[in-house]
Amino acid sequence: MADTAQSLKLTHAGALKLLAAAVKKAEDMKVPQCIAITDEAGHLLAFSRMDGAKVLSVDTATAKARTAATGRSPTGKAAPEAEVKMGLATNGRWTNLKGGLPIIIGGACVGGIGVGSGTGDQDVECANAALAAIKAETF
């Protein structure tokens, strides 16, 4: 077995491309959003709070992106009885709110996108538009 492996990384340019596509979709939907892009470990790479987006969504969008990246799956699908336990176990860094999607390219998770300030379905629609812009897997 090999001691090392090569891996894909989401670049700053890629994060900005995701952000621009999400902002465009939010503008088209007329739903101002907070949009967070993280690397595969959940560390913030890019963020925007559009004019009119809810201030508290700054935190939820970031938590959605972090949760999607580190969990390698969309947010909002965990069993309700797990929500409080996971939130407590991660010191509030994990969320089950809809709107967080992993950024998966070629089967590898390279990051997460979290969108917040609309309904959960609007947040997911905006995040999927961003993923499509870089030809990542959509959900």
Side-chain angles (χ1 to χ4, degrees), residues 77-122:
K77 296 183 184 268
E81 59 273 9
E83 290 179 357
V84 172
K85 292 175 187 175
M86 290 302 294
L88 289 171
T90 61
N91 203 23
R93 294 174 58 88
W94 181 91
T95 187
N96 195 34
L97 296 170
K98 285 175 79 172
L101 300 177
I103 303 167
I104 298 177
I105 299 185
C109 183
V110 297
I113 179 169
V115 180
S117 212
T119 66
D121 290 337
Q122 289 171 327

Side-chain angles (χ1 to χ4, degrees), residues 39-130:
D39 66 12
E40 74 284 358
H43 299 290
L44 194 62
L45 293 174
F47 183 86
S48 180
R49 182 171 67 90
M50 297 172 66
D51 294 339
K54 299 170 188 165
V55 175
L56 287 178
S57 295
V58 168
D59 295 330
T60 59
T62 304
K64 290 175 187 184
R66 182 185 313 111
T67 301
T70 58
R72 313 298 197 246
S73 64
T75 60
K77 296 183 184 268
E81 59 273 9
E83 290 179 357
V84 172
K85 292 175 187 175
M86 290 302 294
L88 289 171
T90 61
N91 203 23
R93 294 174 58 88
W94 181 91
T95 187
N96 195 34
L97 296 170
K98 285 175 79 172
L101 300 177
I103 303 167
I104 298 177
I105 299 185
C109 183
V110 297
I113 179 169
V115 180
S117 212
T119 66
D121 290 337
Q122 289 171 327
D123 297 348
V124 170
E125 185 177 350
C126 190
N128 268 319

